[in-house]
Amino acid sequence: MDEATIRSKPRKARIAPEDTLDAQIGYNLRRASALALNDFAVEMADASLRPVTYGMLALIDERPGIRAAELCRLLGMKSANMAPLLAELEERGLVERDDHARDKRVQVLALTKAAKAAMPAWRRQVRRHEDRFLQQLTKKERATLLRLLRLIWT
């Protein structure tokens, strides 16, 4: 071999196994998240719900009369990001805002009758999505994954 041929061959970098991209947790979380988001979009296309809007509706369903600030805190969102989403859900006839009984400066949130009626079906769809997305995991592995993910963000 001549010198030009030797120089043109790519060298395989010597990278420790724990430093490869595939061994990095962030990379694997990102790949799993992308897969989950894509599958969620397919499952919830008829309802026109995204993970964030579904999360908002689910929490309002679980906590009728929740304040917008509390919804932001529970979802880890900024109020500037929440406001247009609430407006969208209100325009779609899914969320109602009402003045707080004791403090008129505070608005509380509730699902409309239509959203309340739709929530059980939407929850089943999300369960179906999660079952499909996590089909390779046992029930115990799913519980472990959920516990570990909660440890990261709480």
Side-chain angles (χ1 to χ4, degrees):
M1 273 191 220
D2 65 4
E3 192 175 325
T5 306
I6 293 170
R7 273 188 270 155
S8 67
K9 285 188 177 181
R11 292 185 184 158
K12 188 166 182 168
R14 293 194 180 127
I15 300 170
E18 65 272 13
D19 292 334
T20 63
L21 183 61
D22 189 53
Q24 294 173 357
I25 292 172
Y27 169 76
N28 284 283
L29 281 172
R30 164 69 182 86
R31 294 289 305 266
S33 175
L35 186 64
L37 290 172
N38 289 338
D39 190 74
F40 187 97
V42 169
E43 184 66 47
M44 300 303 284
D46 290 347
S48 296
L49 291 176
R50 302 177 305 281
V52 67
T53 52
Y54 170 78
M56 291 168 68
L57 292 170
L59 275 175
I60 295 168
D61 186 39
E62 293 165 20
R63 300 168 184 229
I66 189 171
R67 297 175 185 195
E70 179 70 359
L71 189 61
C72 286
R73 187 186 68 74
L74 291 171
L75 291 173
M77 294 178 66
K78 294 179 180 175
S79 59
N81 296 335
M82 174 77 65
L85 294 172
L86 277 174
E88 172 193 330
L89 293 174
E90 198 171 22
E91 276 180 31
R92 290 180 56 190
L94 300 174
V95 170
E96 297 172 325
R97 301 182 212 212
D98 218 347
D99 290 336
H100 189 274
R102 285 172 270 162
D103 187 348
K104 301 297 180 203
R105 297 170 297 173
V106 175
Q107 290 192 322
V108 293
L109 307 170
L111 296 184
T112 62
K113 287 181 183 178
K116 283 180 196 173
M119 275 310 295
W122 291 340
R123 287 184 188 279
R124 283 191 301 275
Q125 284 181 270
V126 170
R127 208 173 317 117
R128 197 168 41 240
H129 147 71
E130 288 201 345
D131 286 344
R132 188 173 48 249
F133 172 65
L134 300 170
Q135 67 186 336
Q136 296 177 353
L137 301 181
T138 66
K139 194 172 184 176
K140 186 177 179 181
E141 288 169 335
R142 288 180 190 201
T144 300
L145 177 61
L146 183 58
R147 182 180 58 78
L148 293 173
L149 289 170
R150 285 177 178 154
L151 277 175
I152 291 169
W153 67 265
T154 55

